[in-house]
Amino acid sequence: MVDGARLIRSAKSGSDWTFNDLMAYNITVTPQSPEQFFRQNHGTLLEGVDPSLRNSSVDDKNISDAVFEYLGHLDLATNAIEESFIDAFAQKTLQILGFVERGLILTARHNIPLRICGDDQRVAETDDKIVFSRSYPEPQVIAETIAAYQYNNEKRLLDHSPPLDAMTNPCITMVGTRPIFYLVLVTEALSSAVGTGQYPEAKSTVVKCVTSLGHNRRISEGMETPEYRRVAFERFLAFKAPAKEHWQRFVV
């Protein structure tokens, strides 16, 4: 077993983080079941979603222009040859499911500084509140949440507000068209350890929920499959309220 305290810690941008960096800062990721993670009944969440969005394919004839556009983005993301296709699909998904409200703007990319190993010239590339990536993005997402914590506390100090001792960051990653949901608790102790390049004594635990249809289904199956899409939509909608609750503490 690797001793994280003995691993070398170096200044690097969030996009360069690997699983070794998680061990080097005593961070673990724990999967949870949907019941543990979302803590609510999903039964009625899809009632407000257009059935065509839930059940149709891009080849279906009797769908609206808006549904056709969304399914076109889904088709591009399913067979993506560049990350921008998945970015566009992710943004469309948030829009149709009601994540975009007055005062909230979705952006595909946003660079914020990451203070690490005494170096404050590194960056973490993210959008303000939800992170998407095509590759397996777990370490990068966690680095981005640490940068978000540092950035928000610096903004609080400029606004003459007290800094937060801890901040929970709600995150969604997209691996292909398969969403994974995260709640990343960043504490002052973890942020300071990263900022100074030290191994923190206290372990930080990140929780996640992977969207799947069960053990007997293909691991590559995603939202192009209507059955999977319905489950994914339920998870997005179940995540909306707790995500908003956490966002309200952010200063951007």
Side-chain angles (χ1 to χ4, degrees), residues 34-49:
E35 294 74 21
Q36 290 174 304
F37 188 87
F38 295 105
R39 299 181 182 178
Q40 70 178 93
N41 187 343
H42 299 177
T44 62
L45 291 175
L46 289 181
E47 290 182 355
V49 178

Side-chain angles (χ1 to χ4, degrees), residues 8 19 44 55 107 115 132 142 146 179 223:
I8 295 174
F19 286 100
T44 62
N55 304 313
T107 61
R115 188 171 62 257
F132 296 93
I142 293 170
I146 296 168
M223 291 177 69

Side-chain angles (χ1 to χ4, degrees), residues 53-70:
L53 284 169
R54 305 186 324 234
N55 304 313
S56 301
S57 71
V58 72
D59 297 323
D60 290 343
K61 303 299 183 183
N62 298 319
I63 55 177
S64 67
D65 289 344
V67 172
F68 179 80
E69 180 187 8
Y70 177 75

Side-chain angles (χ1 to χ4, degrees), residues 84-133:
S84 63
F85 293 162
I86 295 176
D87 291 338
F89 171 65
Q91 287 184 293
K92 282 291 182 183
T93 299
L94 291 184
Q95 289 169 351
I96 66 166
L97 295 179
F99 276 76
V100 182
E101 301 176 353
R102 184 182 292 271
L104 176 63
I105 298 174
L106 289 178
T107 61
R109 290 287 183 269
H110 181 63
N111 287 336
I112 54 178
L114 172 65
R115 188 171 62 257
I116 179 170
C117 295
D119 184 345
D120 59 4
Q121 300 303 310
R122 305 292 169 163
V123 297
E125 186 180 66
T126 178
D127 58 28
D128 283 334
K129 298 184 176 67
I130 297 186
V131 182
F132 296 93
S133 176

